[in-house]
């Protein structure tokens, strides 16, 4: 990608932020992490209490991008075929010949909102695994390619756990970022009340198409990462695994650490954050800002951590302190 190409694309990221701000009040960190996931070509898991605008944020992103957008409400009775699609038996009325035709499901889209993903059984959750990793769907011996770009945004409610099915570690590892959506400030909450109870709402303008998204995703791959930053990321990920040589906090609080995919995700996320801020080199500040979203869902905490009421973010903070940046 040439410099003039980048110069024409980067301002559109600011336009995308502004478009989202017309519908979503505050949540600047959440919006940034969502855009990082989009630019890095990964998927995001949004977790927050009901009524914090998770679905609104994803829907607004779909409106701002000239991409096909579909929403699936995950329920306990949802079947894999409800997501992937199914084969239909059709008859040619002229010849009487019958044949099977694959009817594509809602997963065949650019932007998929998997609402309350943890409310569906593991069999249906697993239907997303191949799509999220390989960008393909296999059905009846045939493999179908998904449209590019393909971006899964899943939401889950951390409060009400009755009738929910926790996501398996293999599926959690497919998410580039685990984004926590917190409560707004008092001023932001007042603005939400004012904005959502009036007569008119601002429409979200379309500011970017699929070609621009793919070009920006390619540009992320070209962002420079210094050998020191790459070595630090490698040590951070390896130090998250309990065992000989691991920090004391990790051996005490972690039962199972992050795998190599966490390092890949942290490098790509740091590159995407740098490009989002108009830089062409990732820094240690990018790594520090994204270490928790990248690793919080990839750490399996021990009973000692639960007894001491330690969260995954506390473990990541201890990890960053125990493994300092080189030099």
């Amino acid at each position: 990608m040439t410099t003039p190409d980048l110069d024409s694309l980067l301002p559109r990221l600011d336009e995308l932020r502004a478009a989202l701000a017309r519908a979503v009040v505050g949540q600047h960190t959440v919006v940034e992490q969502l855009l990082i996931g989009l630019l890095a070509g990964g998927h995001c898991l949004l977790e927050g209490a009901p009524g914090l605008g998770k679905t609104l944020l994803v829907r607004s992103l779909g409106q701002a991008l000239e991409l096909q957008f579909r929403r699936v409400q995950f329920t306990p009775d949802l079947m894999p075929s409800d997501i992937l699609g199914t084969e239909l038996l059709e008859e040619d009325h002229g010849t009487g010949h019958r044949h099977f035709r694959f009817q594509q499901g809602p997963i065949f889209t650019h932007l998929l909102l998997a609402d309350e993903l943890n409310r569906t059984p593991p069999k249906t959750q697993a239907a997303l695994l191949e799509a999220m990793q390989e960008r393909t769907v296999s059905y009846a011996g045939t493999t179908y390619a998904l449209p590019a770009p393909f971006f899964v945004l899943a939401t889950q409610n951390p409060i009400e756990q009755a009738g929910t099915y926790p996501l398996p570690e293999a599926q959690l590892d497919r998410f580039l970022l685990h984004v926590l959506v917190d409560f707004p400030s008092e001023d932001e909450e007042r603005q939400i009340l004012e904005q959502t109870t009036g007569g008119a709402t601002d429409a979200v303008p379309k500011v970017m198409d699929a070609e621009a998204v793919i070009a920006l995703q390619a540009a992320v791959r070209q962002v420079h990462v210094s050998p020191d930053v790459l070595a630090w990321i490698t040590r951070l990920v390896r130090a998250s695994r309990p065992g000989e040589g691991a920090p004391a906090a990790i051996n005490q609080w972690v039962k199972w650490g992050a795998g190599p995919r966490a390092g890949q995700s942290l490098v790509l996320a740091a590159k995407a954050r740098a490009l989002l801020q108009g830089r062409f080199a990732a820094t240690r500040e990018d790594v520090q800002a994204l270490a928790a979203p990248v690793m919080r869902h990839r750490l399996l905490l021990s009973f000692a951590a639960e007894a001491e009421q330690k969260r995954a973010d506390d473990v990541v903070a201890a990890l960053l302190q125990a493994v300092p940046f080189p030099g």
Side-chain angles (χ1 to χ4, degrees), residues 25-28 183-193:
V25 177
Q27 303 291 4
H28 302 296
F183 287 96
S185 65
E186 182 177 348
D187 289 340
E188 290 172 346
E189 192 161 352
R190 179 191 55 78
Q191 188 176 348
I192 290 172
L193 298 180

Side-chain angles (χ1 to χ4, degrees), residues 83-191:
I83 304 170
L84 303 180
T86 187
E87 283 191 332
L88 302 177
L89 181 62
E90 291 189 342
E91 180 178 350
D92 188 331
H93 296 291
T95 63
H97 178 70
R98 294 182 177 182
H99 64 279
F100 283 101
R101 177 179 64 84
F102 180 65
Q103 177 66 42
Q104 296 181 351
I107 200 170
F108 286 87
T109 185
H110 292 111
L111 181 59
L112 176 68
L113 170 56
D115 222 348
E116 295 190 297
L117 180 60
N118 60 334
R119 292 206 172 275
T120 199
K123 176 175 63 175
T124 306
Q125 292 176 3
L128 290 175
L129 286 176
E130 179 189 353
M132 292 174 65
Q133 184 64 29
E134 307 296 337
R135 267 67 171 178
T136 59
V137 168
S138 297
Y139 192 94
T142 304
T143 299
Y144 303 90
L146 292 170
F150 176 67
F151 189 32
V152 174
L153 290 166
T155 68
Q156 66 176 10
N157 178 0
I159 299 176
E160 185 184 353
Q161 296 302 321
T164 62
Y165 304 84
L167 301 181
E169 284 71 20
Q171 182 153 15
L172 285 172
D173 202 30
R174 259 65 171 192
F175 287 102
L176 180 84
L177 300 176
H178 182 187
V179 182
L180 298 182
V181 185
D182 205 354
F183 287 96
S185 65
E186 182 177 348
D187 289 340
E188 290 172 346
E189 192 161 352
R190 179 191 55 78
Q191 188 176 348

Side-chain angles (χ1 to χ4, degrees), residues 236 239-242 247 249-257 291-292 295-296 299-302 305-306 309-322:
L236 282 172
S240 72
R241 304 163 194 163
I250 299 301
N251 283 327
Q252 181 181 1
W253 294 335
V254 178
K255 185 177 180 180
W256 194 263
M295 300 182 70
R296 63 168 58 110
L299 300 176
L300 185 60
L301 303 188
S302 66
E306 295 179 10
Q309 296 184 338
K310 296 295 182 181
R311 302 175 305 155
D313 286 18
D314 300 322
V315 177
V316 174
L319 185 64
L320 289 171
Q321 187 173 4

Side-chain angles (χ1 to χ4, degrees), residues 12 35 43 126 145 168 185 195-196 228 250-251 283:
R12 300 177 72 176
L35 295 181
H43 312 289
S185 65
Q195 183 170 312
T196 57
D228 284 345
I250 299 301
N251 283 327
T283 64

